[in-house]
């Protein structure tokens, strides 16, 4: 019998393949590649959703300040987003830090960087949020249909 | 980092974007404004990044690859009215950063859209146009296009800025859109225009086969895209030998030139190729692959002598083969623009 974790893992692979196909079709990345990794995490541990949202918002906001006022761009900006994200996750999930949290910690930063470096930031943010919601919903439905535990 | 962002201190800002002719256009507009009692700054990029501030020239030293930080301007340079900068970005992201953070232009000029930097921008001219149009920020009031392809202009057109196209009176002449764009820009900013025909004659006199030691050739090594190379080849006429320098860091360019040769966009006799992937390229085009060295260049020279037909050198200047070959043919320096760059005037060094 397939476990929920296995299903979540496989859904990540499928999600990444879908984003790759979209990229091949439109020629750019319209959805952050962090989304298929974030969605199963949230499905498995709904209590971390707030930390992820805070991580994305704080990284995006501070990252924008570094971009506009300190002229950070490219790989510098990528590092900044990830470091901010790791610090925010560290603070918000301080009481429950484990290996999972460590692996999760850079994903909100990656999301913020993908939005920052996309052609149309608003569109990428909205499409990523939609994809995230669809991914979590699909997992919920699949878990119930397949009755996995 | 010491310096100032152009948008903070200069009221009129123009970004020169597009594939070919950016440096020429930026310098042309600058050289027309500089003598008219107006403070003007111009930044050109490429192999030799230069900043012109009124009548001074600053040669910018690069440490490693080109960075957008070289668009930060020195402080205490007095009041400037106009800023003309070549957009040095080669990806959507860097072009956007240049517009959004460094320059914030009110006017963007797109000289033309051709198959260059395809690995970053897309493999068709339409995709490249769409990619470049996504780098136009909300501050832009005017987008001026020198592109004559209506399909491309439709992609560039957007609601929030004025869009205009200029048409060259001699469209078959490669680069003829540059003086026309310059003339339009100058008039638009309240200056008297230029003698477009004088410039066109100048381009025409440059665009011809050259002869040295009995060898006929054209130095198109600064022409890095197949669209422009075929335009120039068509203008020059004949069925030449194409000598191509490839670069490891420009796989998209290799792909685009391969497309040009295999689809026979122009008539040619045969292809000599050097640099990375030259064996594969030669195999696919029935051409000759030569080593990326001075020995390879000597061999190319021998072939040119044997065949006795004009040779068109293109692709890149960044290879030992092409540099040696140009030296053997007596070509010195880089033809940047129509005019002479006043390099010797007030040359200062900036780290």
């Amino acid at each position: 019998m397939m476990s929920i974790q296995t299903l979540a893992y496989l859904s990540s692979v499928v999600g990444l393949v879908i984003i790759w196909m979209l990229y091949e079709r439109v020629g750019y990345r319209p959805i952050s590649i962090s989304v298929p990794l974030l969605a199963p995490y949230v499905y498995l541990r709904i209590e971390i959703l707030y930390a992820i949202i805070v991580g994305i918002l704080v990284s995006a906001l501070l990252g924008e300040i570094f971009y506009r006022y300190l002229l950070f761009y490219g790989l510098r900006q990528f590092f900044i987003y990830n470091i901010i994200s790791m610090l925010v996750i560290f603070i918000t999930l301080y009481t429950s830090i484990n290996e999972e949290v460590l692996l999760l910690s850079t994903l909100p930063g990656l999301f913020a960087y993908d939005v920052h470096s996309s052609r149309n930031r608003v569109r990428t943010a909205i499409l990523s949020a939609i994809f995230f919601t669809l991914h979590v919903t699909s997992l919920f439905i699949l878990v119930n249909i397949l009755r996995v535990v | 980092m010491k310096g100032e962002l152009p948008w903070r201190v200069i009221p009129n800002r123009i970004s020169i974007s597009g594939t070919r002719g950016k440096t020429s256009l930026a310098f042309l507009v600058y050289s027309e404004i500089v003598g008219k009692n107006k403070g003007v700054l111009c930044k050109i990029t490429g192999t030799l990044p230069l900043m012109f501030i009124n009548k001074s020239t600053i040669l910018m030293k690069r440490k490693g690859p080109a960075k957008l930080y070289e668009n930060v301007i020195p402080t205490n340079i007095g009041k400037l009215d106009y800023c003309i900068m070549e957009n040095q970005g080669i990806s959507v992201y860097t072009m956007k950063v240049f517009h959004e953070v460094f320059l914030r232009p009110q006017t963007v000029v797109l000289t033309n859209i051709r198959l260059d930097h395809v690995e970053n921008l897309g493999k068709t001219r339409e995709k490249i146009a769409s990619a470049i149009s996504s780098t136009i920020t909300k501050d832009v009031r005017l987008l001026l296009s020198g592109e004559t392809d209506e399909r491309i202009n439709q992609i560039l057109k957007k609601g929030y800025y004025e869009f205009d196209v200029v048409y060259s009176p001699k469209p078959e002449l490669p680069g003829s859109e540059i003086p026309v764009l310059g003339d339009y820009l100058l008039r638009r900013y309240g200056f008297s225009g230029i003698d477009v025909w004088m410039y066109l004659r100048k381009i025409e006199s440059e665009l011809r086969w050259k002869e040295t030691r009995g060898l006929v050739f054209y130095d198109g090594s600064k022409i890095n895209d197949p669209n422009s190379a075929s335009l120039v080849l068509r203008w020059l006429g004949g069925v030449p030998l194409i000598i191509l320098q490839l670069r490891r860091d420009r796989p998209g360019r290799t792909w685009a030139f391969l497309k040009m040769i295999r689809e026979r966009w122009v008539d040619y006799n045969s292809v000599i190729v050097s640099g990375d992937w030259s064996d594969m390229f030669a195999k696919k085009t029935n051409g000759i692959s030569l080593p990326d060295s001075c020995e390879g260049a000597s061999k190319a020279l021998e072939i040119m002598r044997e065949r006795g037909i004009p040779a068109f050198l293109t692709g890149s200047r960044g290879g030992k083969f092409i540099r040696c070959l140009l030296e053997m043919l007596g070509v010195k320096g880089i033809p940047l623009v129509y005019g002479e760059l006043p390099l010797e005037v007030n040359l200062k060094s900036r780290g």
Side-chain angles (χ1 to χ4, degrees):
Chain A
M1 187 94 176
M2 192 189 279
S3 68
I4 292 179
Q5 284 77 10
T6 312
L7 189 69
Y9 189 102
L10 290 175
S11 78
S12 274
V13 180
V14 174
L16 269 176
V17 171
I18 293 171
I19 293 175
W20 175 32
M21 291 299 131
L22 276 169
Y23 163 75
E24 291 291 342
R25 177 135 186 97
V26 297
Y28 58 92
R29 199 179 51 224
I31 295 164
S32 167
I33 56 165
S34 66
V35 173
L37 299 167
L38 283 170
Y41 257 118
V42 169
Y43 180 78
L44 295 169
R45 287 187 62 186
I46 190 69
E47 68 277 11
I48 62 166
L49 177 62
Y50 86 95
I52 288 170
I53 293 172
V54 172
I56 291 171
L57 293 176
V58 174
S59 320
L61 190 75
L62 293 182
E64 192 66 11
I65 292 169
F66 274 90
Y67 173 62
R68 299 267 171 190
Y69 300 98
L70 296 171
L71 307 183
F72 277 39
Y73 75 94
L75 209 50
R76 272 185 183 164
Q77 190 71 354
F78 180 76
F79 281 118
I80 279 295
Y81 278 123
N82 282 298
I83 290 164
I84 296 168
S85 167
M86 287 184 88
L87 291 174
V88 172
I89 295 291
F90 180 79
I91 294 163
T92 48
L93 298 176
Y94 183 70
T95 51
S96 56
I97 282 184
N98 56 23
E99 312 89 312
E100 269 176 49
V101 171
L102 179 70
L103 289 172
L104 162 86
S105 62
T106 59
L107 292 180
L110 180 59
F111 184 103
Y113 179 74
D114 277 350
V115 171
H116 160 78
S117 60
S118 69
R119 285 193 187 183
N120 186 324
R121 289 172 191 147
V122 176
R123 192 168 58 200
T124 305
I126 292 171
L127 287 175
S128 298
I130 293 171
F131 195 86
F132 176 85
T133 313
L134 286 174
H135 194 155
V136 175
T137 313
S138 315
L139 260 177
F140 182 78
I141 294 167
L142 279 172
V143 164
N144 281 286
I145 290 173
L146 300 171
R147 295 179 185 282
V148 289
V149 287
Chain B
M1 191 197 323
K2 279 182 186 173
E4 188 59 275
L5 289 169
W7 65 265
R8 285 192 211 265
V9 286
I10 309 177
N12 302 296
R13 300 173 302 275
I14 303 166
S15 161
I16 313 285
S17 298
T19 312
R20 291 270 85 79
K22 296 190 288 288
T23 304
S24 301
L25 179 59
F27 191 72
L28 187 151
V29 176
Y30 156 78
S31 54
E32 288 295 322
I33 296 178
V34 76
K36 295 191 167 87
N37 276 335
K38 295 280 181 192
V40 58
L41 180 145
C42 171
K43 156 85 195 331
I44 58 170
T45 185
T47 348
L48 199 62
L50 293 167
M51 195 175 273
F52 305 99
I53 302 167
N54 294 323
K55 286 179 181 170
S56 307
T57 306
I58 299 171
L59 172 64
M60 300 160 95
K61 283 181 187 165
R62 267 185 193 150
K63 287 175 192 160
K67 299 243 166 52
L68 291 177
Y69 299 118
E70 63 188 44
N71 296 293
V72 170
I73 62 175
T75 47
N76 306 323
I77 46 174
K79 188 181 164 289
L80 293 172
D81 306 289
Y82 297 91
C83 177
I84 305 135
M85 281 193 169
E86 187 182 333
N87 189 344
Q88 72 181 94
I90 58 167
S91 68
V92 173
Y93 180 64
T94 47
M95 283 183 197
K96 198 169 182 167
V97 174
F98 172 75
H99 280 159
E100 211 165 48
V101 182
F102 289 89
L103 186 60
R104 292 199 192 176
Q106 298 105 341
T107 300
V108 173
V109 186
L110 281 171
T111 52
N112 42 51
I113 303 280
R114 301 201 180 139
L115 277 186
D116 201 9
H117 302 301
V118 293
E119 63 273 34
N120 299 323
L121 302 173
K123 285 191 169 181
T124 62
R125 290 173 68 237
E126 287 78 4
K127 280 187 179 163
I128 294 172
S130 165
I132 293 182
S133 82
S134 73
T135 70
I136 313 288
T137 49
K138 300 277 176 195
D139 307 303
V140 174
R141 296 282 159 266
L142 169 69
L143 177 65
L144 184 60
S145 167
E147 182 59 55
T148 46
D149 187 336
E150 272 313 304
R151 287 172 308 137
I152 299 293
N153 284 329
Q154 283 307 317
I155 296 167
L156 297 172
K157 212 180 259 185
K158 277 185 186 164
Y160 59 89
Y161 49 72
E162 185 189 338
F163 180 76
D164 214 346
V165 184
V166 298
Y167 294 92
S168 159
K170 208 164 186 181
E172 70 284 6
L173 177 68
S176 62
E177 66 274 30
I178 305 304
V180 188
L181 283 165
D183 183 60
Y184 180 106
L185 263 183
L186 288 163
R187 288 178 197 277
R188 177 84 183 205
Y189 278 90
F191 297 97
S192 52
I194 54 167
D195 181 353
V196 171
W197 282 102
M198 187 269 284
Y199 278 94
L200 295 182
R201 280 194 296 275
K202 207 162 183 178
I203 300 173
E204 217 170 322
S205 68
E206 285 293 315
L207 279 174
R208 56 180 175 76
W209 294 112
K210 310 250 168 18
E211 196 177 340
T212 182
R213 296 168 209 154
L215 296 167
V216 180
F217 70 99
Y218 182 81
D219 173 22
S221 59
K222 281 284 284 174
I223 303 172
N224 315 123
D225 75 273
N227 293 124
S228 309
S230 36
L231 279 172
V232 174
L233 270 169
R234 247 175 254 135
W235 175 264
L236 294 169
V239 186
L241 183 66
I242 294 177
I243 301 181
L244 186 63
Q245 170 79 53
L246 302 176
R247 272 172 66 168
R248 177 179 284 273
D249 58 338
R250 297 282 186 273
R253 188 176 290 170
T254 302
W255 170 85
F257 271 103
L258 188 61
K259 194 174 160 69
M260 167 188 144
I261 301 290
R262 295 185 82 182
E263 293 177 7
R264 281 207 167 253
W265 294 3
V266 283
D267 280 339
Y268 65 90
N269 179 281
S270 59
V271 181
I272 293 176
V273 61
S274 185
D276 291 282
W277 303 295
S278 61
D279 289 341
M280 175 277 291
F281 199 103
K283 205 172 165 186
K284 283 180 185 283
T285 54
N286 292 324
I288 302 161
S289 169
L290 293 177
D292 193 1
S293 61
C294 289
E295 287 75 43
S298 306
K299 181 78 190 142
L301 216 61
E302 267 176 44
I303 299 171
M304 281 169 73
R305 266 195 204 105
E306 274 168 26
R307 305 254 170 124
I309 50 172
F312 183 76
L313 283 58
T314 191
S316 171
R317 234 171 220 257
K320 202 155 190 194
F321 168 82
I322 202 84
R323 282 200 297 265
C324 284
L325 187 57
L326 287 169
E327 211 178 296
M328 289 169 190
L329 290 166
V331 179
K332 283 176 189 159
I334 301 166
L336 278 176
V337 283
Y338 314 125
E340 291 295 314
L341 284 177
L343 266 175
E344 70 285 356
V345 183
N346 297 325
L347 191 68
K348 293 173 190 169
S349 251
R350 183 189 174 202

